Amino acid sequence: MTAVITDPTTAEASAESGVSIGVVTFPGTLDDRDAARAVRLAGAQPVNLWHADSTLAGVDAVILPGGFSYGDYLRCGAIAGFAPIMESVVSAANAGMPVLGICNGFQILCESHLLPGALIRNDHQHFICRDQELVVENTTTAWTGDYAQGQTIRIPLKNGEGGFVATDEVLDELEGSGRVVFRYQGLNPNGSLRNIAGITNEAGNVVGLMPHPEHAVEAGFGPEDGGGIDGQGFFSSAVRTLVNGR
């Protein structure tokens, strides 16, 4: 994996890539600042977006971060799926803009029908927080190009409703078309069907996953194994994709 920027002391200068990535904050979002910092460290300019906004402020990509949008009332991500800004996110995603949903963001992407399936309560009925190993299954998406096929990465996971479910037909379609992007290695922490941790849409620009790469972008602040920076690849991949696409 090759990150665009690995030295936090040069982070501000790194925004010279000219890439801007919006980070959406919903009422109840917790990890928006972590996602914005990860974006900055990868060489892009983070742009704060609010759930009530009607436009994306001209950004090149969007991240829906983790948390408990609208208190997770009704169903995780269900209310956020109807937030004003999601109309713009869905439109931009369908036009090819890179969109990443992390944890609650993954739930919102499913509720918005940008990704298939749903996330349900963990099969053991408890919230879980641990460092989690994942196998990279697909390196062709906008968010995974800096990883190697079959690479094992270790990033934090924290969720109470992270069990990915879908019909057998949908699961077979995801498997057959190479749209399973990450799979849990070792412990399946939440009962996700077929150990699926992350998926993408048909075009590969929209990715959702339950673990948190934004918490593993600086040595000493993430998992100890692997230097704690295995999450960098998500953000550097998006920056590289956008720069190369110009």
Side-chain angles (χ1 to χ4, degrees):
M1 179 180 72
T2 302
V4 175
I5 288 293
T6 57
D7 181 359
T9 63
T10 62
E12 296 300 332
S14 71
E16 294 177 0
S17 70
V19 171
S20 62
I21 299 179
V23 180
V24 180
T25 299
F26 301 90
T29 293
L30 297 178
D31 299 316
D32 43 353
R33 293 190 179 186
D34 302 73
R37 180 161 178 77
V39 165
R40 189 176 295 110
L41 292 174
Q45 179 64 46
V47 176
N48 297 325
L49 299 175
W50 182 234
H51 71 113
D53 291 344
S54 58
T55 70
L56 300 181
V59 298
D60 302 300
V62 168
I63 295 173
L64 306 180
F68 304 92
S69 59
Y70 300 93
D72 277 352
Y73 288 112
L74 296 183
R75 189 175 59 246
C76 295
I79 300 177
F82 292 99
I85 199 168
M86 287 307 298
E87 184 174 342
S88 297
V89 171
V90 170
S91 177
N94 288 332
M97 176 180 284
V99 176
L100 174 66
I102 304 168
C103 196
N104 193 224
F106 186 12
Q107 295 161 340
I108 295 170
L109 290 177
C110 291
E111 294 290 340
S112 302
H113 305 295
L114 284 172
L115 293 175
L119 285 306
I120 65 171
R121 183 166 293 281
N122 298 343
D123 60 352
H124 46 73
Q125 304 297 310
H126 296 288
F127 183 90
I128 187 170
C129 180
R130 68 189 308 271
D131 293 338
Q132 178 66 47
E133 289 190 345
L134 307 174
V135 175
V136 182
E137 299 269 343
N138 182 336
T139 61
T140 66
T141 81
W143 299 93
T144 56
D146 280 355
Y147 292 109
Q149 187 78 28
Q151 180 180 350
T152 297
I153 63 174
R154 187 177 176 89
I155 59 179
L157 173 144
K158 50 178 185 175
N159 65 67
E161 299 187 38
F164 180 75
V165 296
T167 64
D168 286 340
E169 181 180 10
V170 169
L171 292 171
D172 289 343
E173 167 63 22
L174 290 171
E175 300 270 15
S177 58
R179 291 167 55 194
V180 175
V181 183
F182 296 97
R183 218 181 292 269
Y184 295 115
Q185 178 165 279
L187 174 71
N188 181 334
N190 43 39
S192 288
L193 298 180
R194 303 190 189 183
N195 296 325
I196 291 174
I199 60 174
T200 187
N201 64 344
E202 291 183 9
N205 61 303
V206 179
V207 169
L209 80 160
M210 287 312 296
H212 289 259
E214 79 279 16
H215 296 328
V217 295
E218 294 177 88
F221 294 92
E224 292 300 323
D225 294 347
I229 58 172
D230 284 354
Q232 282 184 341
F234 284 82
F235 309 97
S236 60
S237 294
V239 173
R240 198 179 307 281
T241 295
L242 291 164
V243 169
N244 292 340
R246 290 174 174 169

